[in-house]
Amino acid sequence: MDEEEGECCFDDWVDHWSKQSKRKRTVAGVTAPLLTGLEEAGIRGRTVLDVGCGIGDLAIEAVRQGAARAFGVELSAKAVEEARRLAVERGVADRTSFQVGDGAEMRLPTADVVVLNRVFCCYRDADALLENSLSAAGSVYAFTTPPSNGLGGAFVKVQSRFWNVWYRLRDRKFQGFRVFVHDVDRIDARVQAAGFRPIRSERRRFVWHLAVYARPRTSPA
C-alpha cells in the first residue's frame, strides 16, 4: 500500500479519532489492553516505535506510562499533524516525535519496543511490513490484527468482504484501499523465528487478536 492510498481514507478518519481522544485516552477499544501488555513486557525507561500510529494516542500513552521516548510513523499527514498537537496537549511533546512514512518501505529507527496496532489489516501483502518492523525491534514486539481462525476469524472475513464491496463501490474516494485478514499463525511463526517469545496472546473484543512478544534475557557469563 503506497502513501497515496493511505491518505485516501485515513485523512477522513482523523476528525473522528480526534473527537474520540477528547473523551478517552486511547481511541480504539483494543489499544488499552495492548498498552497493558506492553507494560507487562516492560516499557519503563525504554524507547517505543509505533508503526501506523494514527493520531499517536498509543505512543503518547506509552510515554505517559514510563517509556523514555516514543516515535510514530503514519501514512496520513493529517494524522501526524494531529498526533503532534495531541502530544503537546498531553504534555509529552518533548519525548515524542511523529513522521509521515510507510512502515513497510521506509528505514525505520530501531527501538526497544515496536508495536503495530491495527496495521497489518491495511496491507494486501504484510510480509514487507512484518520484516521491516521486526528488524527495528530490540526487546519487545507487539501487534493487534483481525483473527484468522475460529468463529472470530470467520466473522471478520465476512465483515471484510462487506467493507471491501463498499470501498470498491466508492473507489473514487478510497482509491483502491481494501482491508485484509492475514494468517495470524504465519505472523506468529515469523516473529518467533526472529527470536521473540510470546508473553501474551489473546482475543480482544472478538474481532482482534492481540499478541505481545519479548526476547528472552540472556544471563551474564
Side-chain angles (χ1 to χ4, degrees):
M1 185 173 68
D2 61 27
E3 184 173 324
E4 182 180 352
E5 287 175 331
E7 290 181 351
C8 77
C9 16
F10 297 134
D11 276 359
D12 296 333
W13 296 331
V14 169
D15 291 341
H16 171 70
W17 294 337
S18 298
K19 289 178 182 177
Q20 293 289 92
S21 72
K22 290 178 172 58
R23 298 191 299 107
K24 51 188 181 179
R25 293 294 183 184
T26 54
V27 174
V30 73
T31 306
L34 178 56
L35 277 164
T36 299
L38 293 176
E39 283 188 278
E40 292 173 355
I43 59 172
R44 185 164 295 277
R46 286 177 161 175
T47 55
V48 176
L49 170 61
D50 185 1
V51 181
C53 65
I55 62 168
D57 52 319
L58 185 150
I60 289 167
E61 289 308 304
V63 169
R64 286 166 59 90
Q65 292 177 17
R69 286 196 59 82
F71 178 67
V73 175
E74 167 60 45
L75 284 164
S76 165
K78 184 175 179 180
V80 167
E81 181 181 347
E82 176 61 15
R84 292 168 178 164
R85 186 202 66 77
L86 190 61
V88 171
E89 180 180 287
R90 295 187 179 178
V92 294
D94 60 330
R95 290 186 289 154
T96 57
S97 57
F98 301 95
Q99 177 181 339
V100 177
D102 188 335
E105 298 179 357
M106 67 181 290
R107 183 172 183 175
L108 294 171
T110 57
D112 299 315
V113 179
V114 172
V115 58
L116 298 91
N117 186 23
R118 306 186 304 156
V119 181
F120 285 121
C121 51
C122 297
Y123 283 75
R124 182 182 300 276
D125 179 3
D127 287 347
L129 177 64
L130 179 60
E131 296 301 323
N132 202 31
S133 56
L134 275 172
S135 68
S139 302
V140 176
Y141 188 86
F143 64 85
T144 61
T145 196
S148 56
N149 300 315
L151 185 60
F155 176 80
V156 297
K157 287 173 183 176
V158 171
Q159 185 184 54
S160 67
R161 291 190 190 104
F162 169 82
W163 281 113
N164 285 338
V165 168
W166 172 248
Y167 295 140
R168 190 174 295 111
L169 290 173
R170 303 188 69 197
D171 204 49
R172 179 175 293 182
K173 174 183 178 63
F174 291 103
Q175 301 176 36
F177 175 79
R178 302 290 186 267
V179 292
F180 304 95
V181 180
H182 296 289
D183 186 341
V184 172
D185 290 340
R186 186 169 180 270
I187 296 173
D188 171 77
R190 180 63 193 91
V191 176
Q192 293 204 49
F196 294 90
R197 296 294 174 263
I199 60 174
R200 177 177 281 215
S201 179
E202 61 191 45
R203 189 70 51 84
R204 301 295 305 195
R205 302 176 67 88
F206 189 64
V207 295
W208 293 107
H209 175 85
L210 184 156
V212 181
Y213 303 78
R215 289 192 195 274
R217 295 182 179 180
T218 57
S219 300

